[in-house]
Amino acid sequence: MNEEITFADLDLSPEVMDALKKMGVKRPTTIQQKAIPLMMDNISVIAKAPTGTGKTFAFGIPILEYINLDAKFVQALILCPTRELALQITTEIKGLARFIKGFRIAALIGGQSMRLQAEKVEKKPQVIVATPGRLIDMVQRKLVDISNIYTLVLDEADEMLKMGFINDIRKVMALTPKDKQIALFSATMPREIQDITWQFMKDSAEIDVMPKAEDHPDIEQFIVECPEKDKLKNVVQIMAKEDLRKTIVFCNTKAQTSKVGQMLATAGVSTRVLHGDISQSQRNKVMDLYRADKFDVLVATDVVARGIDVDDIEAVFNYDIPKENELYLHRIGRTARAGKSGKAFSLVAYLDRPRMEEIIRYTKIDPAPYEV
Ligand code: ADP
Ligand code: MG
């Protein structure tokens, strides 16, 4: 992170500056330093940046800065892959806009009644946050008009493609002005995304924020070497020794989350399991309970890691060592949020060693050995 650039240097309005202050946000992250000036200059951006590095404000701030509060049409459209994420983005931007009078934002997501959402649109929001399927549905029923937007944000573009939203995204491209600004954010840049950028974003600025351990400065990282069969015992002992309460235990598969969840429950830990096969409404319920401190340990796969935006997670455990290097950074980024510090423990069995060594090389982290 370039320590020199401050929010004051970015020429923001007093309303946004006050909101940042109120939220305790002090310095712009790397992606914010790079994307905000470009987007405020109406330049399209293709940004690759790891999860947890502040992308929501990177596009949220410029949108708030140029929105026309008197105009009664949708000016910015933010597409994202899941309902949870749409609600999170909406909440974050509402927080940023708390001092901006007349600002309106609406979330249009599946699983909520169409009529309720049509009512939200009737209040004339300047910004809409939506999942692609529901948005297209509402546009086709003429319940929402996106034909005059200035800016289209594609957040977590790689996830949207993985979830099969490519045709919906193409439709949105066709239904919105040709000369709109596009801001594409993605943690990875697979071929399909390069195709989209090539087709629709020829004159864009590219931003590449490398996943760096130093973007997570407040996370103490440890390696716990132990046989596979002792992992659970070690996790429970570390929780006690470190006096940890709210933690996440990451596993690589759904089956493993269920198994680990059950073993933790047997060990007397209050726990819930979250993975991709659990219905959306159930997932929301579990996340609400977690935020409300109704249980301590969330056992999860990477599929749901992105949706986990909880500020007071004390530590992350890698029960299984992640299969991809960047996932390690995504996982540990669930702790030490909102200016707090956190800890990350990776349980490394003999067979995990080569994988862990590669992660260390790739992410340039320097985890300390931990004696249980
Ligand atoms: P991403 O979209 O890159 O995964 P988010 O935008 O969800 O990341 O931000 C992650 C967390 O960091 C949020 O809780 C957000 O409020 C917080 N955050 C964002 N920008 C900053 C900043 N400049 N300083 C401190 N915290 C920040
Ligand atoms: Mg994000």
Side-chain angles (χ1 to χ4, degrees), residues 7 25 27-29 32 50-57 92 309 311 337:
F7 281 113
V25 174
R27 288 193 167 276
T29 61
Q32 290 163 2
T51 308
T53 56
K55 292 192 281 293
T56 313
F57 291 170
E92 290 248 317
D309 186 8
D311 282 341
R337 297 171 86 84

Side-chain angles (χ1 to χ4, degrees), residues 299-324:
V299 185
T301 57
D302 296 292
V303 179
V304 293
R306 282 165 182 254
I308 302 171
D309 186 8
V310 180
D311 282 341
D312 53 355
I313 294 168
E314 295 163 45
V316 166
F317 288 88
N318 289 314
Y319 191 98
D320 295 326
I321 303 305
K323 291 246 189 299
E324 289 168 34

